[in-house]
Amino acid sequence: GASTESFSQPSPRVPIGDNAEVQRFLEHFQTGYRRAVVERWIERSGRYAGMTQGVLRAKGLPEDLMFTAMIESGFNPVAVSRAGAKGLWQFMAPTARRYGLRVDRWVDERLGPEKSTVAAARYLGDLYAMFGSWELAKAAYNAGEMKVLRAMSVLGSRDFWELTRGQVLRDETKNFVPAIQAATLIGREPERYGFSASQSGPLAYELAPVPQGMQLARVAALAGLSLDALRELNPELWNKQTPPGGTYLLKFPLGTSQRF
């Protein structure tokens, strides 16, 4: 590729520990039914990779951080956890609001890929500023800042791998970081690990203003679209209508908003 990409500053890579935990997840992701799951993640990543890397680059953060979303949601923008975390980046509502996302009875921007990615990049950047290490920043993304600070003070260490030997962090957090690191290695070079690198194309759409309080089913009928096509592009409108308070910029499949 002689693309313009080569002229932009490459963003720093996240250093990856060459240790037993990361190796364990590398093997884990390549065996049994999990191989097909990871294959699907890689394919789905194509829809959001360009956008996510662009957001991370603009904030001076490593593009590799996109693989955090791979482990959080498998790049499923409408994923919901048992605890109520939502979206590509699995935000809980209070953290989402703290980072400027709208979460109310009309709109849940945790489900909107671009806006949630901007919020996640800001949050990860703040965590890195606080902890000075991507491993600790990711641990804090999973467990919360206070939990990681407590583990550091109890165990007297700033090294994530040291903290995994203690009892303060939950297993989920201890596994979260090496899982992301393994996903990063696979995502950087899928073929090397026997995965096909075929990816879905990026989501393409155009924006057009739609009146407030309008059912998406009505918009779809007027534009000659399926409701599913509109919902896929506007997952943040979780009750399937535009919110009150003026016109709403709705995403339409390319070339269809004129009909509306």
Side-chain angles (χ1 to χ4, degrees):
S3 72
T4 50
E5 287 297 292
S6 49
F7 299 118
S8 68
Q9 279 300 306
S11 65
R13 283 191 147 185
V14 174
I16 290 186
D18 179 20
N19 61 34
E21 283 85 358
V22 176
Q23 285 305 320
R24 185 163 63 87
F25 275 96
L26 265 179
E27 282 159 31
H28 187 70
F29 287 154
Q30 293 176 70
T31 47
Y33 73 90
R34 291 183 210 89
R35 169 173 279 288
V37 172
V38 175
E39 190 85 54
R40 200 158 61 243
W41 291 350
I42 293 169
E43 190 184 329
R44 216 186 271 149
S45 73
R47 311 194 98 149
Y48 309 105
M51 176 273 291
T52 304
Q53 289 167 340
V55 167
L56 292 166
R57 244 198 330 269
K59 298 205 176 304
L61 299 173
E63 290 175 22
D64 283 344
L65 292 176
M66 73 178 255
F67 296 106
T68 308
M70 188 179 262
I71 296 304
E72 282 288 5
S73 67
F75 287 112
N76 172 6
V78 292
V80 180
S81 79
R82 283 195 302 275
K86 290 187 181 177
L88 280 182
W89 297 90
Q90 291 292 288
F91 272 110
M92 295 298 283
T95 313
R97 292 193 183 103
R98 193 167 97 215
Y99 282 90
L101 294 179
R102 177 176 174 181
V103 180
D104 59 31
R105 50 182 290 225
W106 299 100
V107 179
D108 190 340
E109 290 183 338
R110 293 177 294 174
L111 301 171
E114 284 93 347
K115 283 182 175 166
S116 66
T117 297
V118 171
R122 284 179 49 208
Y123 186 27
L124 284 163
D126 285 354
L127 292 171
Y128 183 74
M130 179 187 266
F131 292 104
S133 124
W134 283 118
E135 287 158 347
L136 292 175
K138 287 169 184 169
Y141 190 93
N142 178 266
E145 299 90 308
M146 298 318 292
K147 192 60 144 301
V148 174
L149 289 167
R150 206 175 123 236
M152 285 163 63
S153 91
V154 167
L155 294 153
S157 172
R158 301 185 57 85
D159 178 322
F160 169 75
W161 305 106
E162 284 295 317
L163 303 187
T164 62
R165 302 202 175 97
Q167 297 306 309
V168 181
L169 297 180
R170 298 202 317 266
D171 284 349
E172 182 197 316
T173 305
K174 293 176 182 178
N175 289 328
F176 183 69
V177 175
I180 295 171
Q181 295 198 347
T184 303
L185 292 172
I186 292 171
R188 284 177 185 168
E189 307 177 90
E191 290 100 335
R192 180 177 167 192
Y193 297 99
F195 291 94
S196 93
S198 75
Q199 294 184 340
S200 327
L203 280 183
Y205 55 81
E206 57 196 23
L207 290 163
V210 169
Q212 61 181 352
M214 194 164 186
Q215 295 284 341
L216 290 188
R218 179 103 183 92
V219 178
L222 289 167
L225 290 166
S226 76
L227 176 58
D228 283 350
L230 272 189
R231 289 200 63 196
E232 186 183 14
L233 288 174
N234 300 278
E236 71 283 356
L237 298 179
W238 60 275
N239 63 359
K240 307 200 253 315
Q241 68 183 83
T242 56
T247 57
Y248 187 83
L249 278 179
L250 199 68
K251 298 185 178 113
F252 286 85
L254 290 177
T256 63
S257 64
Q258 285 313 107
R259 291 210 298 272
F260 171 74

